[in-house]
Amino acid sequence: MASICFYFQVHQPLRLRHYTVFDKNDHYFDDYKNASICRKVANKCYLPANRLLLDIIRKFEGRFRIAYSITGVLLEQLHSFSPEVISTFDALVETGCVEFLAETYYHSLSSLYSRDEFIEQVNKHTETIEYLFGQKPRVFRNTELIYNNDLAVLVESMGNFDAIITEGASHILGSRSPNFVYRPKYCEKLKLLLKNYSLSDDIAFRFSNRDWPEWPLTAEKFARWISDVNGNGNVVNLFMDYETFGEHQWEDTGIFDFMRHLPEQILKHPDNDFKTPSEIVQAYEPVDTIDVPHLISWADTERDLSAWLGNAMQSNAIHELYRLEEKIKNTSDDKIIADWRKLQVSDHFYYMCTKYFADGDVHKYFNPYDSPYDSYINFMNVLSNLQSRCSGQALLDQNSIANKALMGKNFLTEQKTEDVCCPPVGGS
Amino acid sequence: MDSIKVFMLGWEFPPFISGGLGTACYGLTKAMDQLGIQVTFVLPRMVESTYATHVKLLTPESQMPMSTLKLSELQNVVFRTINSPLQPYLTPDSYQHRIEESLRQKRSGNVSSTSQCSGQLDYNSDMFNEVHRYASAAVGLAGNEQYDIVHAHDWMTYPAGIAVSAMSEKPLIVHVHSTEFDRSGENVNQMIYDIEREGMERADKVIAVSHFTRNIIISRYGISGEKVEVVYNGVERNGSDNCALPETGIDKDEKIVLFLGRITMQKGPEYFLQAARKVLDAMDNVKFVMAGSGDLIHQAVEMAAELGIGHKVLFTGFLRGEDVRKIYKMADVYVMPSVSEPFGIAPLEALDNDVPVIISKQSGVSEVLMHALKVDFWDVNEIANKIVAVLRYPPLEMMLRNQGNFEVRKLRWKDSAQRCAKIYEETLKQFEKCIS
């Protein structure tokens, strides 16, 4: 039996506007650029891909099943700029064949820097998904699939989740296969789903690469590779950015046609089926324990954190950001807190990456800045303005700080003016 | 193919340099020498051996009208100099001064012509006389030489290049280190433009020092793109890393922002000063150093005063040798706000001396440097923003310095010379095809 588990990551960053040291305004984001990119990606990817997958789901009457993880920062942008996308996700949810996963609302690296902040963001995301789509996520994926033993223990202790997802990196698996369910070391209940990066990347990265010996990749060929797993594994986890469809791989590469025919080809084999992550968790028991003492991610060939924290500017920027946490939260100013959280979006640090700078590769394509240096300067200028806004605040007395300690719980309702996606105060 | 023999026409060479051209010719010929390319390098003036420099010169036969000398470190390069018939200078100092002065004026073109109209005309006529005298002397020299190809550097040598090439029926390559548009903006000197254009048209190949310059050659001079190749300059490493410099007495609580270059329209000194004004709005413990001389120096001093930052801007005049190294040692950031810079070797030297650089996008060097901050020369707000960022955020300064220094090591004259050698070969092949 080989169960195919599709999970699509759906995210767009919040791009900062050009912000010099002379700017005093507290509006940090490039609304025009964010809006136009959001609409562009909606038209090229989200809308056509949702339509396609909805058609397939209806066609196979429950046999084709998929999962999404949508970040809070994207939901906010969709709500403002392309609300029709949210209703097409709604239609997908209605089919009963779609599962939503949990992650940090702000697509942040908070798991590395602040446990409290991390938990608040995960809760905020869970509540938002529940509010919008009526589903309480049971499977957690961390930003960029960043993972280690400590994270698994933390996520298990939160009590909401049955499983966690990460990269099936060769160096954590050794000779083992990613096509099984595992258990994180030091966890008792939580299960671990590992991305099959080889098959996932065949679609996400290599699909249109004419230098690749397997080009062109047909649904038939891919289904054959999947069927080869039969006997050697239970699951094939195909995890990728949703923007693969129409944005990373343009429509004229044939990516939509590939996807249209894939389920049919895969289901031709009687031993194959599609499952969502939660269904995988229910169907299969862990075969082994996986020990990941060092942090991994799904990025680049290194599968480490160097794309976000690989140089002095990146680590300086992120340390300065999290150093402000207490100060920011003490202001109890919703706008300041929201701005601070939006600065946590991991992409801000990705833009500062100098790793492949000279080669001008994938890092460059998604980078709104001419250079990592410009991105760092811009970010630091914004951060120092944000910092000055904190010190401008009158000091709060102990009493009100204590009240704010409960803020994590009520955070969603307190954010109502900012977060249009969140439930209204008092509910209905 | 046997090693190629090149008849190279230059205008300046260390120690007689007023800017990038001499530095580039030196770097390129030295690297060609190491590749075993035979170069005969023709200079318009006799080179004085008494002038102190790190380059050892053999004493020329100064009595002879045509003198030959060899730099001892260059095996395959022969220098031919054409003694100036115009006037014998009394001392090396005044000689030097005259050359520098005339080169400076020549390079600044007729920016100043509005203010010094009559002087400019005289100077121009002298200059054109020089150029043509050089051409006829070069033809005379060329008759006694064996070579495969003629390579001429910048407009002053194009007439010579055309003449020698026509006489010898050898292909001509013109090497464009700068154009009249870089030097003079839109107020081009028509005579210089005509000489440049004729040189490019008559050449079998045009070498531009950057794509920035290649675009000017194509769009402003109407030269076909197929004929124009880009060869970037390199940088000469001075091994300056471990030299102990005397204490400078500058209080290191103060940050130093450096402008180093000729103070002429082309280099954008006014943008530097306007940016300085803005930086001082944001932080106080900064000083701005303008190192260099040029026809806009008085305006620059006045402008600093008008902006109310006279006490924050230091003018050092023209610096050389040790003094340049000292000033780099003190500087926290180097700014090149050039309006139009065909290449720009100075930022590479700054990086070589561990100084982070901010360079204008209107420069060739911005095509080869990734680890530099880039600005539009007119965007003084952004120049100031970036200066403040480098001074305020230590990780930025550190990364620009380290990565930039590393990057500069990859820009070697050897690669430039190899590119030239390849262009020679292709040109010769094409040329032979045309003849046969």
Side-chain angles (χ1 to χ4, degrees), chain A residues 18-23 311-314 316-317 352 354 357-360 364 370-374 376-384, chain B residues 275 278-279 281-282 361 370-374 379-382 384-386 388-390 392-396 398-400 403-404 407 410:
Chain A
H18 182 61
Y19 200 91
T20 70
V21 70
F22 307 107
D23 280 283
N311 68 40
M313 295 189 295
Q314 292 171 307
N316 173 254
M352 301 174 196
T354 46
F357 183 35
D359 311 335
K364 208 165 191 171
D370 290 338
S371 99
Y373 298 103
D374 290 0
Y376 171 79
I377 293 171
N378 217 46
F379 184 90
M380 294 304 282
N381 287 343
V382 168
L383 191 61
S384 76
Chain B
K278 283 185 172 281
V279 169
D281 289 341
K361 291 178 184 169
M370 303 301 284
H371 297 280
L373 300 181
K374 299 171 191 177
D379 194 351
V380 290
N381 209 45
E382 187 59 18
N385 180 41
K386 288 194 159 136
V388 173
V390 174
R392 223 178 238 179
Y393 308 133
L396 177 67
M398 185 199 82
M399 281 196 59
L400 286 170
Q403 303 276 332
E407 192 172 29
K410 290 189 282 185

Side-chain angles (χ1 to χ4, degrees), chain A residues 287-353:
Chain A
V287 297
D288 200 358
T289 301
I290 300 271
D291 181 17
V292 186
H294 303 296
L295 288 159
I296 61 166
S297 81
W298 71 355
D300 302 334
T301 48
E302 296 90 342
R303 313 279 189 217
D304 61 9
L305 301 189
S306 56
W308 303 277
L309 300 167
N311 68 40
M313 295 189 295
Q314 292 171 307
S315 64
N316 173 254
I318 202 160
H319 275 110
E320 291 297 316
L321 180 68
Y322 282 101
R323 217 163 51 83
L324 289 182
E325 178 173 359
E326 199 187 342
K327 222 172 168 186
I328 296 276
K329 289 184 175 170
N330 283 346
T331 64
S332 70
D333 178 322
D334 292 344
K335 174 87 168 67
I336 290 180
I337 294 169
D339 281 343
W340 177 68
R341 291 190 155 144
K342 287 172 182 170
L343 292 180
Q344 293 181 40
V345 177
S346 67
D347 303 78
H348 296 307
F349 310 101
Y350 188 78
Y351 301 145
M352 301 174 196
C353 177

Side-chain angles (χ1 to χ4, degrees), chain B residues 51-267:
Chain B
Y51 196 82
T53 167
H54 62 285
V55 180
K56 284 274 177 280
L57 299 176
L58 296 182
T59 313
E61 293 292 321
S62 50
Q63 264 66 44
M64 291 170 62
M66 306 293 185
S67 56
T68 304
L69 64 139
K70 248 188 168 190
L71 290 172
S72 59
E73 58 185 272
L74 305 180
Q75 305 287 314
N76 301 310
V77 182
V78 180
F79 288 86
R80 303 255 185 245
T81 62
I82 301 162
N83 276 345
S84 166
L86 292 179
Q87 47 223 307
Y89 297 110
L90 293 175
T91 66
D93 267 0
S94 61
Y95 187 162
Q96 172 67 11
H97 178 74
R98 278 296 294 259
I99 292 178
E100 271 184 7
E101 201 53 44
S102 71
L103 282 170
R104 232 184 336 266
Q105 285 180 24
K106 166 205 78 193
R107 290 181 152 256
S108 64
N110 39 6
V111 181
S112 55
S113 64
T114 42
S115 53
Q116 309 169 359
C117 214
S118 60
Q120 192 67 22
L121 281 177
D122 281 356
Y123 151 74
N124 269 348
S125 65
D126 275 355
M127 198 64 200
F128 288 113
N129 283 339
E130 277 281 86
V131 165
H132 289 291
R133 190 190 58 79
Y134 175 81
S136 60
V139 169
L141 264 181
N144 307 322
E145 297 284 333
Q146 291 291 318
Y147 49 89
D148 307 302
I149 201 158
V150 184
H151 188 153
H153 292 276
D154 265 7
W155 72 272
M156 302 77 77
T157 71
Y158 293 169
I162 292 168
V164 172
S165 163
M167 180 204 75
S168 61
E169 297 183 328
K170 301 289 183 193
L172 170 67
I173 287 176
V174 303
H175 199 133
V176 184
H177 297 264
S178 82
T179 69
E180 184 59 12
F181 294 97
D182 302 310
R183 295 179 296 261
S184 309
E186 292 304 313
N187 307 312
V188 295
N189 180 318
Q190 190 61 38
M191 286 171 84
I192 294 177
Y193 172 84
D194 290 342
I195 291 174
E196 285 180 330
R197 184 173 181 140
E198 197 191 353
M200 295 175 198
E201 280 172 351
R202 300 277 288 268
D204 296 273
K205 265 285 189 268
V206 179
I207 294 177
V209 290
S210 62
H211 286 279
F212 177 80
T213 297
R214 183 173 181 270
N215 288 343
I216 293 176
I217 291 168
I218 292 168
S219 63
R220 300 293 197 130
Y221 294 84
I223 305 300
S224 153
E226 292 162 17
K227 219 171 100 169
V228 193
E229 302 279 345
V230 172
V231 177
Y232 290 120
N233 289 338
V235 67
E236 181 86 359
R237 279 190 67 80
N238 294 320
S240 59
D241 311 48
N242 297 318
C243 73
L245 290 172
E247 285 299 309
T248 52
I250 288 231
D251 183 359
K252 272 319 279 181
D253 287 347
E254 293 225 297
K255 300 285 187 180
I256 304 279
V257 182
L258 176 66
F259 173 105
L260 192 151
R262 282 172 291 111
I263 300 179
T264 61
M265 184 223 69
Q266 186 191 349
K267 304 292 180 184

